[in-house]
Amino acid sequence: DTEVTQTPKHLVMGMTNKKSLKCEQHMGHRAMYWYKQKAKKPPELMFVYSYEKLSINESVPSRFSPECPNSSLLNLHLHALQPEDSALYLCASSHPSTGKNEQFFGPGTRLTVL
Amino acid sequence: GNSVTQMEGPVTLSEEAFLTINCTYTATGYPSLFWYVQYPGEGLQLLLKATKADDKGSNKGFEATYRKETTSFHLEKGSVQVSDSAVYFCALSSTGNQFYFGTGTSLTVIP
């Protein structure tokens, strides 16, 4: 299995809602990532988990809360988002052994905040 | 620090034309280099990679050679197809589980 899956594919939420994005991989990768991508832009790194521990937080607002329950799952909890948070949210995974291995990306969750 | 500079788009080519998308990088140490492709409405897919100087990555007719002397990793394809229309991202990975992406180049191939 060389796939990263993400659910849901699309999400529309109001600014007062609480929702979660989910990501799963079964490749035995021990590094997992959340990215935010705006249209026609490269992905922007949000969070990195290495061996289920948060290793990088790129100064992301606290309305985004990541969670890594186990080595295969990664969640992103959303609360009190703003319209400018509307974007494609991508999950990725990789072997963390050297830090130079390719990242495998999921198809993304298209988030719209009303 | 680490960074990637990528040719600005958009690029429009006729089917069967030759494609080059330029990519240069700045890195500390010895990075790995990648090209990713993103089709409309999808995530990023790894197109090819090279892990050391003079390596050539290739896939689906695309090629790129890791040139340390010119710090470049240009993407080429001899004959593009309509199905190659997508956004292409050059990226590097050095130690620390972090990727550095170029700005992306949008390619449209017309029949």
Side-chain angles (χ1 to χ4, degrees):
Chain A
D1 186 355
T2 58
E3 198 178 43
V4 177
T5 59
Q6 289 188 244
T7 55
K9 193 171 174 61
H10 299 277
L11 178 62
V12 179
M13 59 187 291
M15 290 190 283
T16 58
N17 292 157
K18 284 186 182 181
K19 298 286 185 183
S20 295
L21 309 184
K22 296 186 185 302
C23 173
E24 190 167 5
Q25 57 87 16
H26 294 286
M27 294 179 278
H29 292 167
R30 302 304 295 275
M32 296 185 76
Y33 311 77
W34 279 116
Y35 289 89
K36 174 183 177 181
Q37 187 182 27
K38 290 284 207 179
K40 302 190 185 301
K41 298 289 186 184
E44 299 172 31
L45 183 65
M46 300 175 73
F47 303 103
V48 180
Y49 275 83
S50 182
Y51 294 95
E52 295 88 70
K53 292 194 186 318
L54 184 65
S55 61
I56 296 176
N57 176 342
E58 292 287 358
S59 302
V60 179
S62 59
R63 58 186 183 267
F64 296 91
S65 175
E67 178 196 20
C68 190
N70 60 54
S71 60
S72 299
L73 291 174
L74 186 66
N75 297 323
L76 186 63
H77 303 297
L78 314 173
H79 173 54
L81 295 192
Q82 304 297 308
E84 60 265 29
D85 297 322
S86 298
L88 181 68
Y89 287 84
L90 294 165
C91 173
S93 69
S94 72
H95 282 292
S97 54
T98 64
K100 297 196 288 182
N101 292 305
E102 61 266 37
Q103 293 187 9
F104 293 81
F105 284 81
T109 293
R110 176 75 57 189
L111 174 67
T112 303
V113 182
L114 302 177
Chain B
N2 297 316
S3 66
V4 174
T5 301
Q6 191 174 337
M7 185 173 101
E8 291 285 334
V11 174
T12 301
L13 294 174
S14 297
E15 207 165 22
E16 299 184 4
F18 185 85
L19 169 71
T20 300
I21 301 177
N22 290 338
C23 172
T24 57
Y25 68 91
T26 303
T28 53
Y30 304 96
S32 293
L33 300 173
F34 307 89
W35 277 100
Y36 281 83
V37 59
Q38 187 173 32
Y39 298 101
E42 297 185 12
L44 275 69
Q45 297 176 27
L46 178 67
L47 183 59
L48 52 85
K49 70 175 185 178
T51 58
K52 61 183 187 299
D54 300 325
D55 269 2
K56 177 187 279 189
S58 61
N59 185 26
K60 300 180 182 179
F62 291 90
E63 292 183 341
T65 301
Y66 188 143
R67 302 281 189 203
K68 193 168 187 299
E69 63 278 9
T70 55
T71 61
S72 65
F73 192 56
H74 305 321
L75 182 68
E76 296 182 336
K77 187 175 185 183
S79 176
V80 294
Q81 305 301 311
V82 172
S83 56
D84 294 326
S85 298
V87 179
Y88 293 81
F89 292 98
C90 184
L92 75 81
S93 176
S94 190
T95 54
N97 291 327
Q98 244 180 304
F99 259 42
Y100 298 85
F101 286 96
T103 51
T105 301
S106 176
L107 170 67
T108 300
V109 180
I110 54 178

